[in-house]
Amino acid sequence: MACWGNQMLDSYTKYLCDLFPDVEFEFVLATNSTDYYRFRQDHDDMPDILTVRRFALKDAVLLKDYLYDLSNTELANTYYGSYLDSYTYDDGSVNWLPT
């Protein structure tokens, strides 16, 4: 899992490890930029879970095909539709979720 900053490494990682004790996570400090993930994508080294604090959907469109479409998942259904509208691409896919 790539974490966008030290704040996530300090708190969110412990939360995930406590919540999922049987999962072996590898946490990596990433930058708060979609550029970082495009670099990782170019080198076939995308993390399974990635986070970005703020980004424009149009800036992230190059990553879209490398990310799981969450639009029909139980997780995406927990969000109000108005929240997901900002994260929905023209083809109806949702590859990012607000947190």
Side-chain angles (χ1 to χ4, degrees):
M1 176 175 181
C3 301
W4 57 258
N6 284 326
Q7 300 91 331
M8 287 191 77
L9 286 176
D10 292 342
S11 58
Y12 195 61
T13 56
K14 181 179 177 352
Y15 168 76
L16 285 177
C17 290
D18 290 346
L19 191 61
F20 302 103
D22 297 334
V23 175
E24 188 175 322
F25 289 99
E26 177 184 345
F27 297 103
V28 176
L29 180 60
T31 62
N32 186 28
S33 166
T34 54
D35 293 337
Y36 172 80
Y37 297 113
R38 282 195 298 272
F39 174 83
R40 299 274 307 253
Q41 171 218 329
D42 289 344
H43 293 86
D44 293 322
D45 190 28
M46 285 287 280
D48 292 325
I49 302 170
L50 52 101
T51 62
V52 180
R53 188 169 180 197
R54 292 184 188 98
F55 66 94
L57 202 58
K58 66 181 175 94
D59 293 339
V61 73
L62 295 175
L63 298 172
K64 179 185 168 305
D65 294 334
Y66 295 90
L67 302 174
Y68 187 74
D69 179 8
L70 302 165
S71 60
N72 294 316
T73 64
E74 189 175 319
L75 178 61
N77 288 331
T78 64
Y79 290 87
Y80 290 112
S82 58
Y83 288 148
L84 287 183
D85 288 346
S86 299
Y87 295 87
T88 303
Y89 287 100
D90 291 339
D91 65 0
S93 66
V94 176
N95 303 97
W96 303 88
L97 293 175
T99 58

